[in-house]
Amino acid sequence: ALASVAASCAMAAEQRGSDAGASDGGLQLLVVRCAVGEEREPATVDAWCLRVDGSAVSQDKLDHAVSQGQVTSVSCVPGSETERQWLAACAGHLQVQLFAASPTELATGADTAFDAGLGAVAAAAASGAGAGMSGGAGGNAPEVMGIVTAAEDPYFAGYGDIGMHELMLKDTARTEGYREAIEKVYPHLFKGAVVMDVGAGTGLLSLFAARAGASKVYAVEASPMASTLHRIVHDNNLAHIITVIPKKIEDADDLIAEKVDIVVSEWMGFYLLHESMLDSVIYARDRFLKPGGHVFPSSATVYAAGIECNQLMAEKVGFWDNVCGFDMSAAKPLASQRLLAGNPVVDLEVRQDQVVTETQTLLELDCSTVTVADTLRTVHDVRLTATRPATLHALCLWFDVRFDASGSEFLLSTGPHATPTHWYQTQILFGREVSISPDSPVDCHITLSRADDNPRFYNIEVELR
C-alpha cells in the first residue's frame, strides 16, 4: 500500500507543474502515511510533495520530523485537481485528513511551515472525512477541511458541548484564579518555558501561558472541541507557540517529542476526584515533565463539615403542605426519604451560615507525587464537632487547590466561605436528621471509592457513628 501511495505522490508531484494554473492557492503540502483498518503502526514516509507555488520547502525539516516520530497520520492539502482526484481514490483505504493554509504562511520558513501543517493535522476532529476539499486562499491560518478522528469515549464526546465550556469560562473564580496564578504570581516560571495543558478545552490556560511568555505550549484536548481550539489559537495569532494535540495524553507520545517545564491543567471535578481526570495529569507528569518541573495546581485538599439544609428541606419536602390549595402532606415522608437517601446534591450552593460544625481535612494530595493508586479508594474517620446547636442534615465536601512554587502560593477555594464556583459543594444527605450540639460530636466514617462500572465516577459512603 505504501508503494502505491508513493507512486501516487510522485505522479501528483510531476503533474503539479502543469496543473499550476488550476491550483486555488491552497497550501500545497502532501504528507502520506499508510493506514489499514485499525492498524496505526508508524511507517516511514517514502515520498514527500512539499511545495509552495512550485518551489520546494526544506525537506530536511520534514525528514527530521519523521525520524523523530512527529508525523504519525495521513494528511493532505490538495493544491490541484489531480491531487483532489488522488485523494478521492485513496479515501476508501487511507486515513485522510484535509486542511488548508495560505502559501504565505508556509513560505515564512521551514519551521513555521511544518508547525503550521502539523498543527492543522493535529486539529482535525470528528465531523466527517473528506468534507470540503477546496484549499484556503490568502488566509493567515490553516483551516480544518475534513476530519477522520472521532471522540468515541462518551466522556470526551460530552466535552464537545460548547455549553459546558461556557459554564466553566463564566466561572469567574476559576478563570481569574488560573489567570492570576499564571500571569501575575508565576509569570517568571512560564517565561520561555515549554508548557503542557492537559484537557485544554477551548484553550484558555494555553492562551494564558503563551501570553505569560511560554516558548511552546502543547494544548492536549481529546474531545471534538479540539477543532474549535485550533481555530481559536490561530485567530489569536499564537500558532507559532501553541500546538493542538487532538488526543488523550495517554495516546499522544507520537506527537510530543520533548519534555516540558510545566504541566498545567484544570482537572478537578465535584468533590475534587469526580471524573478521575487527575489520572491524565499524573500520566503527563510522569511521561513528559522534566526533573524539577512544576505541576499546576501543585496540591489539592478536600474538606468536610456538617451542614443543615433547612431551606432545601422546605423546598423539597415542605412544598407538599400546600399544592394549589390542597393538603398533600401525605407525600412528605416519600419526599423526605427521596431527598435524604438520594444521590449527592452537586448543583446547589451551600451558604456559610449552613455550616454547623468545625471543618475537617479529609484528603490531601501533592500533585508532584500522587499516584493513581492513591485515589482509587480513600477511607477517613472524622469527628464533626458542632459550633452551635443545630439539626444536621448532610455532610458537605469541597476542595481547595494551591499553586505553590518558588516561595509563593496562590489558593483557589470552592468552599462555602469562598466566591461561588461551578463546582458548588457536594452535599451528601444523611438518611435522617441528627440533633447536634457543641458537647455532642458526631463521628463519621467516610469512604470514597472509584466505581467499578464507570471509573470516572466515585461511590461515596458516609456512616454516622
Side-chain angles (χ1 to χ4, degrees), residues 171 268-269 271-272 301 350 396-401 412-426:
D171 181 341
M268 301 83 71
Y271 57 87
L272 185 67
T301 305
V350 175
C396 178
L397 304 181
W398 69 89
F399 64 87
D400 294 349
V401 294
L412 172 60
S413 179
T414 67
H417 59 283
T419 302
T421 72
H422 77 286
W423 289 288
Y424 296 97
Q425 297 81 30
T426 299

Side-chain angles (χ1 to χ4, degrees), residues 43-99:
T44 301
V45 176
D46 288 349
W48 297 98
C49 295
L50 179 65
R51 295 177 180 274
V52 178
D53 293 340
S55 300
V57 174
S58 173
Q59 188 168 337
D60 291 340
K61 170 68 177 179
L62 291 172
D63 289 339
H64 176 72
V66 173
S67 68
Q68 296 298 309
Q70 294 175 343
V71 178
T72 59
S73 60
V74 179
S75 54
C76 304
V77 179
S80 68
E81 184 60 27
T82 298
E83 290 172 2
R84 296 170 198 274
Q85 294 174 359
W86 179 84
L87 288 174
C90 289
H93 63 276
L94 288 179
Q95 302 277 334
V96 178
Q97 293 175 332
L98 306 177
F99 59 92

Side-chain angles (χ1 to χ4, degrees), residues 188-258:
H188 58 290
L189 297 180
F190 282 84
K191 186 174 179 60
V194 178
V195 178
M196 178 178 289
D197 178 5
V198 180
T202 52
L204 190 60
L205 304 190
S206 295
L207 298 171
F208 285 158
R211 194 163 64 183
S215 62
K216 183 72 176 179
V217 180
Y218 292 100
V220 183
E221 177 55 45
S223 83
M225 195 56 60
S227 59
T228 300
L229 168 57
H230 177 256
R231 294 301 314 168
I232 290 171
V233 168
H234 282 274
D235 289 347
N236 286 276
N237 299 314
L238 288 170
H240 61 295
I241 295 176
I242 301 174
T243 296
V244 179
I245 307 295
K247 289 187 175 184
K248 295 189 292 184
I249 186 60
E250 294 85 350
D251 298 332
D253 287 11
D254 55 348
L255 293 179
I256 304 172
E258 62 182 319

Side-chain angles (χ1 to χ4, degrees), residues 52-401:
V52 178
D53 293 340
S55 300
V57 174
S58 173
Q59 188 168 337
D60 291 340
K61 170 68 177 179
L62 291 172
D63 289 339
H64 176 72
V66 173
S67 68
Q68 296 298 309
Q70 294 175 343
V71 178
T72 59
S73 60
V74 179
S75 54
C76 304
V77 179
S80 68
E81 184 60 27
T82 298
E83 290 172 2
R84 296 170 198 274
Q85 294 174 359
W86 179 84
L87 288 174
C90 289
H93 63 276
L94 288 179
Q95 302 277 334
V96 178
Q97 293 175 332
L98 306 177
F99 59 92
S102 67
T104 302
E105 182 176 21
L106 190 62
T108 56
D111 288 352
T112 302
F114 183 73
D115 289 341
L118 188 58
V121 173
S127 68
M133 296 186 61
S134 60
N140 292 322
E143 177 183 354
V144 176
M145 305 297 292
I147 293 141
V148 294
T149 57
E152 298 177 357
D153 186 326
Y155 170 75
F156 290 106
Y159 275 97
D161 179 0
I162 192 63
M164 296 184 67
H165 297 274
E166 179 185 359
L167 174 68
M168 293 185 288
L169 294 176
K170 286 182 175 179
D171 181 341
T172 303
R174 166 196 179 272
T175 299
E176 290 301 313
Y178 272 88
R179 184 186 66 82
E180 184 168 346
I182 292 171
E183 296 190 339
K184 293 186 176 181
V185 181
Y186 300 112
H188 58 290
L189 297 180
F190 282 84
K191 186 174 179 60
V194 178
V195 178
M196 178 178 289
D197 178 5
V198 180
T202 52
L204 190 60
L205 304 190
S206 295
L207 298 171
F208 285 158
R211 194 163 64 183
S215 62
K216 183 72 176 179
V217 180
Y218 292 100
V220 183
E221 177 55 45
S223 83
M225 195 56 60
S227 59
T228 300
L229 168 57
H230 177 256
R231 294 301 314 168
I232 290 171
V233 168
H234 282 274
D235 289 347
N236 286 276
N237 299 314
L238 288 170
H240 61 295
I241 295 176
I242 301 174
T243 296
V244 179
I245 307 295
K247 289 187 175 184
K248 295 189 292 184
I249 186 60
E250 294 85 350
D251 298 332
D253 287 11
D254 55 348
L255 293 179
I256 304 172
E258 62 182 319
K259 298 292 186 178
V260 303
D261 301 292
I262 298 172
V263 172
V264 64
S265 179
E266 193 276 82
W267 53 267
M268 301 83 71
F270 300 127
Y271 57 87
L272 185 67
L273 298 178
H274 184 72
E275 297 185 26
S276 301
M277 189 179 161
L278 180 57
D279 292 11
S280 294
V281 176
I282 292 171
Y283 181 90
R285 179 199 69 197
D286 293 346
R287 174 65 179 83
F288 295 106
L289 189 63
K290 294 177 182 177
H294 299 283
V295 180
F296 284 141
S298 312
S299 62
T301 305
V302 180
Y303 299 98
I307 60 172
E308 61 179 7
C309 304
N310 293 327
Q311 182 177 345
L312 180 62
M313 295 294 292
E315 291 176 356
K316 298 295 186 179
V317 180
F319 160 80
W320 295 98
D321 284 331
N322 185 330
V323 180
C324 298
F326 296 102
D327 179 358
M328 293 192 178
S329 58
K332 288 175 68 174
L334 296 176
S336 179
Q337 181 181 10
R338 180 180 185 274
L339 177 64
L340 294 175
N343 291 325
V345 177
V346 296
D347 58 354
L348 291 176
E349 180 186 347
V350 175
R351 305 183 313 276
Q352 180 62 30
D353 61 13
Q354 290 180 247
V355 179
V356 296
T357 74
E358 296 176 355
T359 298
Q360 301 294 325
T361 298
L362 199 67
L363 178 66
E364 293 181 289
L365 300 177
D366 181 342
C367 295
S368 66
T369 60
V370 64
T371 67
V372 172
D374 294 333
T375 67
L376 296 179
R377 186 173 187 270
T378 64
V379 180
H380 316 273
D381 289 299
V382 298
R383 171 160 290 187
L384 302 177
T385 301
T387 56
R388 59 181 173 85
T391 299
L392 192 63
H393 293 111
L395 184 72
C396 178
L397 304 181
W398 69 89
F399 64 87
D400 294 349
V401 294

